Amino acid sequence: MKHLTALIALIVTTSFFIRSQTVSFDNHLPRISFDGKVVIMAPDEGLWSVATGWDNEWMSDWVHTNPTEIQQSGDWTILSGKIVLPEGEMLLRDSYRKFDNGLLKCVRRFEWKGADTLHHATLSVRFQMKGNGLKPLIPSILYYGNKMGAKVNPDIIPVYTGQPGEFAIFEDHRYPMPFAMLENNAEKHAAAIHTTPSPVRGALLNDQWWSMGIEAYDGYTEFVLYSGPIGYNGQRSVAKALQRTPMKYSDTYLSLEPGRIIEKEFFIQLYPIEREGSGFQQPLYTSLDLHKPYNVDRFDDFQTIIEGKYRFAKTRWIEEEAACGFGMYDLSLQKDLVMGWCGQADSPGYALQVLAQRLNDTSIRDRVQRSLDFLTTYPVDGKGMFPVGYHVTDKKFHGGDHVSCGQAMYNFSKAIETARKNKNYRTEKWEKFLRKVCDGQSKRILRDDWNPHSTAEGFYIAPLAIASQLFNNATYKKAAVKAAELYANRHLTMDGCYWGGTLDATCEDKEGSWAAFQGFLELYERTKEKQYLDWAKHAMDVCLSYVVVWDIPLPAGRMADYNFKTTGWTVVSPQNQHIDVYGVLFAPEVYKMGVYLKDERLKKLAPVMFRSCYQLTNPYGSQGEQLQQTNFAQHGDMSNVHKLRGGYSESWTVFWITAHFLNAAARFEEMDVAI
């Protein structure tokens, strides 16, 4: 890992300053202060803690100690000490170095000098952060406690309220961005610990990794790194392994043979925040700076991707009597034309217009025209809702939900906007359908009693904003603005994070974040009012917290068969912990934000998000939805938690996996960006 290089000299007896942050080594112990107050420090028991037993499926028989020596070597401050056990001595060493961006780097070294193997050992890193009511963010896992998911079903996701005794500790390889954050809104500062993820030698279990998380106490919370133990929701030694339940993951201790040396690298970050709900944003960009996930040339190029995905899209083309369009499932299984979410039958009507020249297929115009024409026959009620599916065989409509209706509205609005530019399509039916839907949705949203259950209805913001310009309709804009303001008021403080944007999860998720991100950004682009850009950045940053920024080493399995690279993929939600290709859909907006914010990191990350996700696409252009980068699965043999990681389920190949690539490619093409 390449780290930042500009440094400030660290003097043992003198504190040094970054803004109002101070790092000192009083009595050989590291202390990090903010505005003159010590905020982060070693535990009272000692800087170093090692467990030497294992009882009731958890660490036991702790031994603690503090440094006895301190040295200076260039920019490094080195603390040394030892733990004396009946079996022998363990030598301990911390090496600290300060970076000019406020990061304090540490390498902790454990060296077992006993004559015999030390069994049942657990190594640790522990630092206390002072304060009550500290709010955590653990990327893809825990969003300020997962308050929204806790209201719906607290038993199937990690939940955390900060009461003494609570803990949330997870495997390193579960983290898309390997950091844990705590926010102290009362004192207007936040802190994060970043880890260099790694497996650990000497483990009883195969493929055992270090873990990271938080533990709550009265008056403070500890950042913790352990050499294996995990748990959450009051359950020790369990992994978030299944969609609706954890699985036991115990015996995560070590056997250290004589001479064994184990080191753990981590970084501590303490910084000011301007407002509640913003504490997670700085460490997110620090994680980008540490991992630099920008190597895009190792992945297939843009043209290869759109050709492969279009080749597969054509295998889903349905044409029976009046019904025509792109089917959600393999046609040998079921013929179903579904708009939005999993089906995305509406998406090619926009995307293929933009990509037609690149694809050089004369059938595109006819298929775009007729597929969208057929979708306009779906009945719309007075509230702007419509069934999103049509079973071709039995000729029946079905379904209807806010996520799918909003996404369909967006694609219709983009299709109309694009068709008006190139004048190659008849849009009368499309416009009539979209107007009817927008009329109903606007009327519903503008009612005084409109109180959406989740962020799912955030998907209406963008299409209403676009339609307000397409049809010069102030009512549509008013509804879009009202929805945006409601979601900003709900979620900018993270007192309940964006959620409810998927159909199979009941908790915080990146899709709900994307609904807000897309809507806020569309309003900014249509109005140029800066507050919408600020809101878009907050929602985007939540989306980005699900993006994997490092290549997670994988055990033998389908993913390892292809030397699979996890960088650029996205974790689904705290409930569904596999990775998927959904991030390609908001990659173009990430690039746009890089332009608006003048942030080259975002402009470099967006192409990686798009191109990396084409991995595992087979010769037909198909790929599955669920890839198991961690101890989690939803399909296949799920009986053994130790055999889940590294698996790949390609049985669920609904059309969104293909459509999102084409849709995102079209938006990149509109920006005239070479990715």
Side-chain angles (χ1 to χ4, degrees):
M1 183 188 300
K2 295 181 179 179
H3 303 305
L4 306 177
T5 55
L7 303 173
I8 293 179
L10 180 60
I11 307 301
V12 174
T13 58
T14 304
S15 299
F16 52 91
F17 298 84
I18 301 294
R19 297 177 185 173
S20 54
Q21 175 189 327
T22 307
V23 179
S24 62
F25 292 88
D26 301 329
N27 297 319
H28 297 180
L29 293 174
R31 297 176 182 271
I32 307 176
S33 302
F34 197 83
D35 291 339
K37 298 179 181 179
V38 175
V39 176
I40 298 176
M41 69 197 77
D44 294 338
E45 307 94 86
L47 176 62
W48 296 305
S49 300
V50 174
T52 59
W54 188 265
D55 292 310
N56 296 319
E57 297 184 330
W58 203 240
M59 306 159 280
S60 65
D61 302 328
W62 285 95
V63 183
H64 314 278
T65 194
N66 280 315
T68 55
E69 295 183 29
I70 186 167
Q71 296 177 303
Q72 191 71 28
S73 178
D75 296 322
W76 292 92
T77 296
I78 304 168
L79 309 178
S80 302
K82 64 182 178 181
I83 285 177
V84 179
L85 300 171
E87 299 89 344
E89 293 183 347
M90 179 175 289
L91 304 185
L92 301 158
R93 188 176 76 195
D94 275 8
S95 302
Y96 295 90
R97 190 184 192 190
K98 190 71 188 302
F99 291 91
D100 68 349
N101 68 341
L103 277 183
L104 178 66
K105 175 180 178 178
C106 179
V107 178
R108 178 160 292 185
R109 176 186 172 101
F110 306 84
E111 183 176 1
W112 174 239
K113 301 295 288 185
D116 298 315
T117 298
L118 179 65
H119 297 285
H120 302 104
T122 302
L123 311 179
S124 73
V125 174
R126 300 167 56 213
F127 281 92
Q128 296 179 356
M129 179 176 177
K130 286 186 176 180
N132 291 306
L134 304 182
K135 302 295 185 181
L137 188 142
I138 297 177
S140 86
I141 305 168
L142 195 64
Y143 287 83
Y144 287 65
N146 286 345
K147 177 180 178 180
M148 307 314 296
K151 289 182 178 180
V152 180
N153 197 335
D155 297 327
I156 62 177
I157 63 167
V159 173
Y160 178 92
T161 66
Q163 295 301 307
E166 286 188 278
F167 53 89
I169 307 163
F170 307 94
E171 313 94 313
D172 274 5
H173 51 65
R174 192 173 293 266
Y175 284 74
M177 292 185 169
F179 72 84
M181 185 281 308
L182 289 168
E183 178 180 312
N184 187 334
N185 179 56
E187 300 292 336
K188 288 293 181 287
H189 61 247
I193 187 166
H194 301 258
T195 187
T196 300
S198 60
V200 60
R201 185 71 177 267
L204 174 68
L205 303 181
N206 184 41
D207 193 39
Q208 180 174 312
W209 285 57
W210 280 81
S211 57
M212 176 168 64
I214 53 174
E215 297 186 22
Y217 296 86
D218 186 14
Y220 65 92
T221 301
E222 282 192 357
F223 291 109
V224 297
L225 312 179
Y226 292 131
S227 57
I230 58 174
Y232 65 97
N233 291 8
Q235 300 177 82
R236 295 174 171 179
S237 293
V238 298
K240 178 67 179 75
L242 303 176
Q243 187 180 38
R244 295 188 172 276
T245 184
M247 294 179 74
K248 186 60 65 177
Y249 194 85
S250 189
D251 298 329
T252 48
Y253 48 80
L254 307 180
S255 293
L256 303 179
E257 72 275 21
R260 170 58 54 201
I261 297 173
I262 294 177
E263 295 185 316
K264 188 60 174 175
E265 180 182 68
F266 59 93
F267 302 79
I268 299 175
Q269 187 175 23
L270 177 63
Y271 48 94
I273 61 172
E274 293 183 359
R275 59 170 180 78
E276 183 180 5
S278 65
F280 74 97
Q281 293 178 278
Q282 185 165 330
L284 185 148
Y285 287 89
T286 299
S287 193
L288 287 176
D289 291 337
L290 287 172
H291 294 275
K292 303 188 187 309
Y294 310 126
N295 182 5
V296 71
D297 291 333
R298 55 185 174 160
F299 305 120
D300 283 313
D301 61 36
F302 185 75
Q303 185 66 25
T304 298
I305 293 172
I306 62 173
E307 288 178 355
K309 288 303 176 183
Y310 179 58
R311 183 168 62 251
F312 184 73
K314 290 190 291 185
T315 70
R316 294 289 175 92
W317 178 256
I318 296 172
E319 189 165 355
E320 290 192 12
E321 299 180 4
C324 63
F326 295 90
M328 177 170 165
Y329 304 103
D330 186 304
L331 301 189
S332 66
L333 302 176
Q334 184 173 325
K335 293 182 179 180
D336 203 0
L337 295 168
V338 180
M339 287 192 273
W341 191 219
C342 288
Q344 294 294 324
D346 44 287
S347 181
Y350 153 64
L352 295 183
Q353 288 188 59
V354 180
L355 300 175
Q357 186 172 353
R358 277 186 176 270
L359 294 171
N360 193 28
D361 184 343
T362 57
S363 70
I364 284 178
R365 184 186 179 283
D366 179 65
R367 289 185 174 185
V368 166
Q369 183 71 59
R370 292 194 295 130
S371 65
L372 288 183
D373 283 352
F374 177 72
L375 295 177
T376 65
T377 66
Y378 288 33
V380 180
D381 67 18
K383 296 181 180 180
M385 299 297 293
F386 49 93
V388 295
Y390 179 78
H391 290 304
V392 175
T393 303
D394 56 17
K395 301 179 182 179
K396 291 184 179 180
F397 293 103
H398 64 89
D401 60 89
H402 292 303
V403 171
S404 299
C405 287
Q407 292 177 352
M409 290 169 63
Y410 174 82
N411 285 321
F412 265 96
S413 66
K414 291 292 289 182
I416 294 167
E417 187 175 56
T418 305
R420 285 184 179 182
K421 294 175 183 177
N422 59 39
K423 298 182 170 61
N424 287 333
Y425 295 88
R426 301 181 305 278
T427 63
E428 296 84 2
K429 292 180 180 179
W430 310 351
E431 295 186 22
K432 182 179 179 181
F433 176 79
L434 182 61
R435 280 180 183 270
K436 189 172 184 179
V437 174
C438 288
D439 287 343
Q441 291 292 352
S442 295
K443 182 179 180 180
R444 188 180 62 84
I445 291 171
L446 291 173
R447 286 175 56 96
D448 291 339
D449 61 354
W450 180 66
N451 184 28
H453 177 60
S454 72
T455 327
E457 295 190 48
F459 281 112
Y460 294 128
I461 300 172
L464 286 170
I466 299 172
S468 71
Q469 289 193 345
L470 286 175
F471 306 123
N472 192 26
N473 189 306
T475 301
Y476 299 166
K477 178 181 176 181
K478 186 177 180 181
V481 169
K482 179 183 177 181
E485 289 176 345
L486 179 142
Y487 286 120
N489 288 333
R490 281 188 180 182
H491 300 303
L492 289 177
T493 63
M494 299 292 274
D495 184 25
C497 183
Y498 311 95
W499 75 290
T502 64
L503 303 186
D504 63 345
T506 54
C507 64
E508 289 71 4
D509 54 35
K510 68 176 182 298
E511 290 83 355
S513 309
W514 162 233
F517 174 25
Q518 181 189 51
F520 296 156
L521 182 56
E522 198 68 55
L523 275 176
Y524 172 72
E525 294 192 315
R526 304 282 165 169
T527 68
K528 299 305 179 186
E529 294 183 25
K530 187 179 181 300
Q531 69 171 350
Y532 299 130
L533 183 64
D534 295 338
W535 298 354
K537 184 181 186 304
H538 186 269
M540 175 190 68
D541 288 346
V542 176
C543 288
L544 291 180
S545 71
Y546 291 91
V547 177
V548 182
V549 297
W550 59 294
D551 288 334
I552 302 171
L554 297 160
R558 289 294 309 284
M559 296 167 75
D561 290 344
Y562 290 91
N563 192 25
F564 180 86
K565 306 300 182 186
T566 57
T567 296
W569 290 65
T570 45
V571 178
V572 178
S573 69
Q575 181 174 346
N576 298 337
Q577 283 278 288
H578 64 85
I579 56 175
D580 66 6
V581 307
Y582 196 91
V584 303
L585 189 58
F586 55 81
E589 278 65 27
V590 171
Y591 189 95
K592 281 185 179 181
M593 292 295 287
V595 175
Y596 292 137
L597 301 173
K598 297 180 172 58
D599 192 329
E600 292 297 317
R601 293 170 296 187
L602 299 177
K603 292 166 67 175
K604 291 188 291 185
L605 178 64
V608 173
M609 292 173 61
F610 182 85
R611 289 171 56 180
S612 174
C613 286
Y614 191 68
Q615 294 176 86
L616 295 186
T617 300
N618 68 22
Y620 303 101
S622 176
Q623 61 187 141
E625 181 179 355
Q626 295 165 1
L627 295 87
Q628 298 158 208
Q629 86 290 357
T630 192
N631 300 314
F632 179 89
Q634 283 180 252
H635 284 280
D637 183 358
M638 298 182 287
S639 61
N640 188 337
V641 67
H642 303 293
K643 294 184 178 181
L644 302 183
R645 202 170 86 83
Y648 169 48
S649 174
E650 54 188 351
S651 60
W652 186 244
T653 58
V654 285
F655 190 61
W656 78 261
I657 301 169
T658 295
H660 285 354
F661 277 97
L662 297 173
N663 198 295
R667 301 205 309 286
F668 276 122
E669 190 81 349
E670 285 181 330
M671 289 188 285
D672 194 24
V673 174
I675 68 162

